[in-house]
Amino acid sequence: MVLEHDWATTALGPQADWSPTLRTAVSTALNSRFPFLLMWGPELVMIYNDDYAPMLGARHPSALGRSARDVWSDIWDALNPMVAEVMAGRATWSEDLLLVMTRNGWEEETYFSFSFSPVVEPGGHVVGLLDTVVETTHRVLAARRLSVLQRLGSLPRAAHGDTTEAVSTALGILADAREDCPFGIVYLTDDDGGHVRLVAAQGLAVQGELATGPIPEQVRRAMATGEPQTVTGLASQFPGLATAGASPVAHADVDTAVVLPLTAAGADRPVGALVLGASPHLPLDEDYRVFMSLAAGQVAATVTDAQAVAAERRRAEERAQSERARAQFFTDVAVTLQRAVLGPTVLPEGFAVHYEPATGTLEVGGDWYDVVDMPDGGYGVVVGDVVGRGLSAAAVMGQLRSAGRALLLESRSPAHVLTALDRFAALVPGAAVSTVFCAVIDARRGTVRYSSAGHPPALLVAADGTTRQLEEGCALPLAVDDSRERPEAEVQMPPGSTLLLYTDGLVERRDEALDEGIGRATDALVEGRNLGPAELGALLTERLLGDAPDDDVAFVLFRCG
């Protein structure tokens, strides 16, 4: 599209007249796999690459060659001061910045981390700016929703046996999350199951009108089918339904709600339904629906717990089922939200990965892995561990992972990647002392080049069972001492060799030395060296994680040849 665009009709003029600086800047942007936007000249003419295009929404492809002031007019008040600063020769940095944009035809709550950098002609004149950007909306929303689910998961048992009070307590937590749940309503069946009644609500400006209409009808359908139902058209039928102050964007009538059946573990039919309004400033995508379903699961657990206490007839098996449902709820939330933060990874042939949260916790953590297809056909592999747990560690992890991926795409040197991560980690609160193992695998040459920032050594097992710990390229964790050069080492990987990168949760146990855990991992690799990567990963999980580790675990396996 850039090659075919009629640039003569823009302020840039024909391509043949472009300056060497402009050509270099355009080449840099178009040949990167990280999202780049180039804004050139006083008119700030836009040229961007494939990875930036999705951020434009419906504004692509018409944005190409137009002024950024016109394309991003809805957020220009926020961007203009930064552009002015860059044109004065100073780069800017914004992290998880809230931008309210209408890129898809409606006011949308979005978040971005980006840097504006000046493009300078020989002689020092700033002629444009380069925007290096990543949309963090997905991660910000995942962390925000996880916080709500953590509070729901920590609700005490309803020892009072009052179902209405238990429901009101759960809705009180959702009332503090109105940016995702503008309103919430709980309907429950009476004792004989023949009548459904509204027992509690939050965020409603009007309530009497809900006795009839689409919501009660969809509540009955959700309870009859056991499947969530979606209600639309609320803005026209019930204007002003939700009270103001829900969204960080602006007040707008809620048009869509999701009706979720409240089904307890082991029950043959729902005990009620939870109705959650959907934000008019966010897309109702799969992650949004998963969050609502998990919230409904915890509300259902709260309701059934109160009913069981009040009736005093809970049998031992029902109690066990409730506990298993609670434990499964914790695991589902942790795995779902951690994967939302990590993002999907499409693995090349020969790789297998595994992530497992710490047992018995609802917290995400700082462990991560990444596998990056290199432009020359090799693979960049990273495994890291941020100090601490919870949302703060997950936020730091997300930044380090994004930065590491971008650096790997620009450099084939693991030492250079970790050196740059040192500087980056020094600027990110909570990133210091993080450990990272970075490797570049050349499968055609059968080599792996690596550098370690204080991380446990990778394990290499040959086809004949010979083992080796990769310890030569080791140095201090990130942002501890940036005055030293990071070492780098390279080893051969004969055909049939197996490489394992892992975090300490795989091998560290309270009752044994770290070397013992590494030895157990090595023994499992030797035993399974003739298995495929997926089967070998399952063997490692069985042998090393069967004792329910109390730390997060991430590992990456690669079979050479």
Side-chain angles (χ1 to χ4, degrees):
M1 292 179 62
V2 171
L3 292 174
E4 295 173 356
H5 194 78
D6 185 7
W7 295 103
T9 63
T10 72
L12 299 187
Q15 291 188 39
D17 297 338
W18 288 5
S19 69
T21 303
L22 174 55
R23 290 179 176 275
T24 300
V26 171
S27 176
T28 299
L30 295 184
N31 287 292
S32 174
R33 294 175 63 180
F34 200 80
F36 273 112
L37 165 66
L38 179 66
M39 293 181 271
W40 194 264
E43 296 82 4
L44 299 175
V45 176
M46 292 177 55
I47 304 176
Y48 49 87
N49 64 2
D50 289 341
D51 294 279
Y52 183 86
M55 301 180 190
L56 289 161
R59 295 171 178 174
H60 173 73
S62 63
L64 189 65
R66 293 175 56 199
S67 170
R69 294 187 185 90
D70 297 333
V71 173
W72 293 119
S73 59
D74 48 352
I75 58 173
W76 196 249
D77 287 344
L79 300 182
N80 192 41
M82 304 178 197
V83 172
E85 188 170 349
V86 173
M87 288 305 183
R90 297 181 296 273
T92 69
W93 167 252
S94 300
E95 182 178 355
D96 294 337
L97 180 65
L98 170 62
L99 294 173
V100 182
M101 57 179 62
T102 55
R103 58 183 174 180
N104 292 306
W106 47 278
E107 286 190 328
E108 183 180 357
E109 176 187 353
T110 65
Y111 296 87
F112 291 84
S113 291
F114 57 93
S115 174
F116 284 172
S117 306
V119 181
V120 182
E121 286 273 19
H125 179 59
V126 178
V127 291
L129 63 87
L130 193 62
D131 177 16
T132 308
V133 57
V134 59
E135 182 168 357
T136 59
T137 305
H138 192 75
R139 178 171 58 79
V140 170
L141 295 182
R144 185 170 79 190
R145 292 164 182 172
L146 176 62
S147 179
V148 178
L149 295 170
Q150 283 180 302
R151 294 182 59 196
L152 284 173
S154 63
L155 280 175
R157 295 195 64 195
H160 45 70
D162 188 326
T163 305
T164 300
E165 183 177 342
V167 168
S168 298
T169 301
L171 285 180
I173 293 176
L174 293 176
D176 293 334
R178 296 191 60 225
E179 59 267 66
D180 289 304
C181 307
F183 67 79
I185 313 169
V186 173
Y187 292 81
L188 295 179
T189 59
D190 53 21
D191 292 338
D192 60 9
H195 179 67
V196 179
R197 58 188 176 90
L198 190 157
V199 296
Q202 66 86 13
L204 290 180
V206 295
Q207 187 168 320
E209 292 86 340
L210 296 180
T212 59
I215 290 182
E217 177 185 345
Q218 294 301 328
V219 165
R220 289 187 287 270
R221 178 174 297 178
M223 293 180 62
T225 63
E227 298 292 334
Q229 306 294 318
T230 303
V231 183
T232 58
L234 297 177
S236 58
Q237 297 182 61
F238 304 105
L241 175 62
T243 56
S247 174
V249 175
H251 179 67
D253 283 339
V254 177
D255 190 67
T256 302
V258 178
V259 183
L260 303 118
L262 299 177
T263 305
D268 56 355
R269 58 189 177 88
V271 297
L274 171 66
V275 183
L276 291 177
S279 169
H281 303 296
L282 293 171
L284 187 57
D285 54 17
E286 183 63 23
D287 288 341
Y288 204 163
R289 292 182 182 274
V290 167
F291 161 68
M292 290 181 169
S293 296
L294 292 170
Q298 190 55 36
V299 173
T302 300
V303 170
T304 54
D305 189 35
Q307 290 177 340
V309 171
E312 296 181 344
R313 293 182 301 176
R314 176 174 288 178
R315 301 187 303 270
E317 178 57 29
E318 290 174 336
R319 186 178 299 111
Q321 287 178 348
S322 177
E323 292 303 319
R324 286 195 295 270
R326 223 177 243 280
Q328 187 61 49
F329 170 77
F330 290 145
T331 301
D332 289 347
V333 171
V335 172
T336 299
L337 271 299
Q338 182 77 16
R339 286 174 178 170
V341 173
L342 283 175
T345 301
V346 178
L347 296 174
E349 185 177 358
F351 281 92
V353 298
H354 180 79
Y355 169 77
E356 184 170 326
T359 302
T361 178
L362 190 57
E363 293 182 338
V364 293
D367 289 17
W368 85 91
Y369 63 81
D370 204 357
V371 179
V372 181
D373 284 309
M374 306 293 282
D376 59 358
Y379 307 111
V381 185
V382 178
V383 170
D385 189 352
V386 173
V387 176
R389 291 184 185 173
L391 298 178
S392 58
V396 174
M397 175 273 289
Q399 295 178 69
L400 290 179
R401 181 180 183 272
S402 297
R405 170 172 278 260
L407 291 166
L408 269 173
L409 290 172
E410 298 299 327
S411 172
R412 285 188 52 82
S413 168
H416 290 171
V417 171
L418 294 187
T419 299
L421 274 182
D422 266 324
R423 296 192 295 270
F424 182 81
L427 302 175
V428 179
V433 201
S434 299
T435 67
V436 183
F437 194 102
C438 179
V440 172
I441 297 172
D442 189 330
R444 289 173 296 186
R445 292 176 54 229
T447 62
V448 56
R449 203 147 34 93
Y450 68 92
S451 183
S452 172
H455 202 76
L459 303 178
L460 181 62
V461 175
D464 62 0
T466 305
T467 63
R468 178 175 181 176
Q469 295 185 21
L470 305 190
E471 300 177 306
E472 289 79 4
C474 297
L476 295 171
L478 295 182
V480 173
D481 182 1
D482 59 3
S483 64
R484 300 184 182 182
E485 287 192 16
R486 289 203 170 272
E488 186 173 283
E490 181 173 285
V491 297
Q492 289 295 129
M493 291 185 62
S497 299
T498 303
L499 179 67
L500 172 66
L501 280 65
Y502 56 93
T503 58
D504 56 8
L506 182 68
V507 296
E508 191 172 43
R509 299 295 179 267
R510 294 180 181 178
D511 56 350
E512 68 179 15
L514 183 61
D515 287 344
E516 295 181 48
I518 294 177
R520 289 190 294 114
T522 303
D523 292 343
L525 286 174
V526 172
E527 179 182 343
R529 64 186 184 276
N530 294 320
L531 298 175
E535 292 79 9
L536 179 54
L539 177 64
L540 280 173
T541 301
E542 176 186 348
R543 293 293 175 84
L544 277 73
L545 303 181
D547 55 351
D550 55 4
D551 195 7
D552 297 334
V553 176
F555 67 75
V556 178
L557 277 168
F558 175 69
R559 173 66 50 73
C560 182

